[in-house]
Amino acid sequence: MARIAVIGAGWTGAVVARELTDAGHRVEVLERAAVVGGHSRVETLNGVVYEPNGAHIFHTSDPTVKDYVSRFGMGRPYEHVVVTEVYLSPDDDEPRLLSWPPQVAELRELPIWPVVERELAELPPEPIGESFEEHVISLMGPTLYGLFIRDYTVKQWDRDPRELSARFAPKRVELRDDGYRRLFRDTWEFFEAEGVNSIIEAILAPVSVTAGATISMDHADDLAAEFDMAVITAPLDDFAGCPGELEWRGIEMRSRYVPTDTPDGTVTPAYVVNRPSLRVPYTRTVETKHATGQSILGTVVSEEIPGSPARHYPVPRVDGRNTTRNGELMAEIADAFDIPVLFAGRLATYRYINQDEAITDALRCATEALDHFAP
């Protein structure tokens, strides 16, 4: 039986810890926050469930992942539909609500359609370009890019979109002509009425968890004295004590309680409403009650404002400098330990991945750890 430390109690840390515990190893999860669940965790305000770290919808087409979360109680079906608030011209006083991703059938009804139609006819057969801007313009043309994407991207990343890599564009941007309204095309999509807190807590039920633990590379000798392996799911510049070595984009969710006349009442058009215009300082509103279906007087609306010091999103630069530096930090951290160190999850591997992908990465990491200790 090996002794294994897992740093971080989000999806990745929880799944790694559970897999290794079920295999008979002694696992200790060390979590900086007072609670488990990471960025996916929900909270309540006046009894209303809301998401302090932005919208998190669980979706997957991987039957292994689906079966895994179902084992711990996840299974409430949900269909995520997003709308975008668009000003068609600088002179418009009122925005239009359009589908996200944009739907050609809706666009045909707009006064700008002749321009859009001409631009679409001139597009290459497949998207091109190394930068995010080049890729998206080659996908939908400059007019739709300007309406839906450009200013949203500037607000989200505080960078010229030409500095961002095209690598994450196919996962986030589409132009649709099939009438499919759900944002995700995955086979399964879930949103628990009370959020994922109970699911992650159920995964961690048999695991020893120490909350409020601040662990860094400075503790390498102490960890090596107590454990036979460490699994790190935390951001590596933070863990290594070198903030600023990696670029991160954080968000602040400014959440407010709004009274409603009925228990099923909501006040925004959808769970997520994109707000790409520079007329507002936030990128989108999130009203989680649309997703939970909670029957309660009142709701909570959150405005997602980019620019906080939190480490929510890795910055996908064209030159790949952050990914390269993250790889170097992996090597530096591993060299500082006298025990094997594994890295997994969105933050530690500096990747823009969803919850199901974090679980897949956790299962991979757990297999690697088990192989290391196999007879």
Side-chain angles (χ1 to χ4, degrees), residues 304-374:
E304 186 170 310
I305 303 174
S308 85
R311 292 173 171 87
H312 286 115
Y313 298 101
V315 179
R317 281 189 175 269
V318 170
D319 60 14
R321 72 180 73 167
N322 293 309
T323 301
T324 299
R325 181 58 185 140
N326 199 72
E328 294 170 351
L329 286 171
M330 284 183 178
E332 293 170 16
I333 292 169
D335 287 344
F337 280 80
D338 290 331
I339 57 175
V341 180
L342 302 180
F343 304 92
R346 177 174 181 160
L347 298 177
T349 63
Y350 202 80
R351 289 179 297 151
Y352 197 31
I353 60 176
N354 296 319
Q355 295 172 90
D356 62 324
E357 295 167 307
I359 292 173
T360 298
D361 203 40
L363 295 173
R364 171 205 57 77
C365 180
T367 298
E368 185 176 350
L370 293 174
D371 287 346
H372 178 82
F373 292 113

Side-chain angles (χ1 to χ4, degrees), residues 76-212:
R76 178 177 174 269
Y78 176 69
E79 294 186 355
H80 185 43
V81 176
V82 177
V83 297
T84 299
E85 184 182 83
V86 173
Y87 292 90
L88 295 183
S89 77
D91 299 327
D92 279 358
D93 293 326
E94 294 295 329
R96 304 209 184 195
L97 283 177
L98 300 173
S99 297
W100 177 258
Q103 294 278 353
V104 171
E106 289 182 13
L107 300 175
R108 288 194 180 101
E109 303 301 317
L110 302 178
I112 61 170
W113 172 248
V115 174
V116 172
E117 184 179 33
R118 183 171 63 253
E119 291 175 355
L120 294 180
E122 296 170 353
L123 296 181
E126 297 292 335
I128 59 174
E130 294 185 2
S131 78
F132 179 79
E133 178 171 281
E134 291 173 308
H135 180 100
V136 177
I137 289 178
S138 72
L139 173 72
M140 61 176 55
T143 297
L144 295 181
Y145 170 73
L147 288 176
F148 287 91
I149 307 293
R150 183 190 59 228
D151 292 345
Y152 187 103
T153 303
V154 170
K155 288 195 291 186
Q156 173 68 23
W157 301 103
D158 193 29
R159 284 165 179 79
D160 188 314
R162 290 171 292 187
E163 298 177 9
L164 301 174
S165 171
R167 289 189 297 274
F168 78 101
K171 192 174 182 179
R172 302 294 168 179
V173 182
E174 283 185 79
L175 177 62
R176 293 182 180 172
D177 195 15
D178 60 1
Y180 188 85
R181 289 283 289 113
R182 290 168 56 187
L183 177 62
F184 305 117
R185 295 182 182 271
D186 286 301
T187 307
W188 299 283
E189 190 171 2
F190 304 126
F191 201 106
E192 296 306 306
E194 297 180 354
V196 300
N197 299 12
S198 63
I199 309 301
I200 295 178
E201 289 164 3
I203 293 172
L204 285 169
V207 182
S208 176
V209 178
T210 299

